[in-house]
C-alpha cells in the first residue's frame, strides 16, 4: 500500500499494517526512528505507525541501502535510551510526523550495526488520534 497524502494517513493506519512489509524493512524503520529519537530531545519517544514506501538497493555482497518514507507518532513513553517502542502505546492525541530515512544494513545479521545515512522528519501538524 502506498499513501502519499497525509490526509490518507488515518485511513492507512487503520487498514494498512506493518505485517505486510518485509520484516527487514520493519526492523530498519524501527532502528531509524530509535536513532532519530536519540538525536532529538523530544519529551516523548516517537514510533513508526506506518510505512508509506520502501525501496532497497543492494550493495554486494550483503549490504542493502534502504530508503523509507514512514509516519511516526508520539507515544506515552519518555524519550530515553533503551525504550522499548513496541510496547509503548500512542498518546491519545498523538502528534505525528513524516520521516524520510536512508539506512545501510545487512539484512538478517543483527551483529553488524546499521547506519543511518539520512534522517529527515517533518511534523505534519496534525493530531490523528
Ligand atoms: C554476521 O556477520 C558477522 C561478521 O561478518 C559474521 O561473523 C556472522 O556469522 C554473521 N551472522 C549471521 C547470522 O549471518
Amino acid at each position: 500500500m502506498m499513501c502519499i497524502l497525509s490526509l490518507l494517513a488515518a485511513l492507512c493506519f487503520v487498514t494498512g499494517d506493518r505485517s505486510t512489509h518485509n520484516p527487514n524493512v520493519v526492523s530498519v524503520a524501527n532502528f531509524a526512528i530509535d536513532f532519530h529519537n536519540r538525536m532529538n530531545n523530544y519529551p516523548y519517544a516517537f514510533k513508526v505507525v506506518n510505512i508509506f514506501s520502501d525501496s532497497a538497493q543492494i550493495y554486494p555482497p550483503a549490504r542493502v541501502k534502504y530508503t523509507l518514507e514512514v509516519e511516526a507518532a508520539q507515544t506515552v513513553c519518555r524519550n530515553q535510551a533503551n525504550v522499548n517502542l513496541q510496547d509503548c502505546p500512542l498518546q491519545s492525541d498523538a502528534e505525528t510526523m513524516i520521516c524520510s530515512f536512508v539506512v545501510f544494513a545487512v539484512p538478517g545479521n543483527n551483529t553488524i550495526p546499521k547506519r543511518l545515512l539520512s534522517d529527515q522528519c517533518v511534523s505534519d501538524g496534525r493530531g490523528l488520534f
Side-chain angles (χ1 to χ4, degrees):
M1 171 175 352
M2 176 123 136
C3 305
I4 303 296
L5 299 172
S6 65
L7 271 179
L8 293 176
L11 182 64
C12 297
F13 181 68
V14 173
T15 60
D17 69 69
R18 289 185 290 159
S19 63
T20 61
H21 285 273
N22 180 316
N24 290 327
V25 170
V26 173
S27 148
V28 164
N30 288 336
F31 160 79
I33 196 67
D34 195 51
F35 200 101
H36 180 84
N37 282 329
R38 300 266 56 72
M39 293 292 102
N40 290 274
N41 58 355
Y42 305 130
Y44 298 99
F46 280 75
K47 79 176 189 182
V48 171
V49 293
N50 236 318
I51 298 174
F52 295 139
S53 67
D54 64 87
S55 65
Q57 194 176 351
I58 296 169
Y59 286 74
R63 288 197 305 170
V64 178
K65 185 169 110 178
Y66 292 94
T67 303
L68 308 177
E69 184 168 65
V70 309
E71 179 182 37
Q74 196 181 30
T75 69
V76 299
C77 295
R78 290 274 168 199
N79 183 22
Q80 49 195 240
N82 301 321
V83 59
N84 182 357
L85 290 174
Q86 310 288 33
D87 294 341
C88 288
L90 298 178
Q91 304 235 358
S92 57
D93 57 348
E95 284 177 34
T96 58
M97 58 190 186
I98 306 297
C99 298
S100 300
F101 294 130
V102 178
V103 179
F104 249 128
V106 176
N109 191 328
N110 290 324
T111 64
I112 299 179
K114 298 176 176 63
R115 281 177 47 215
L116 188 59
L117 302 185
S118 173
D119 166 15
Q120 295 184 314
C121 294
V122 291
S123 168
D124 66 2
R126 299 153 44 86
L128 288 175
F129 302 99

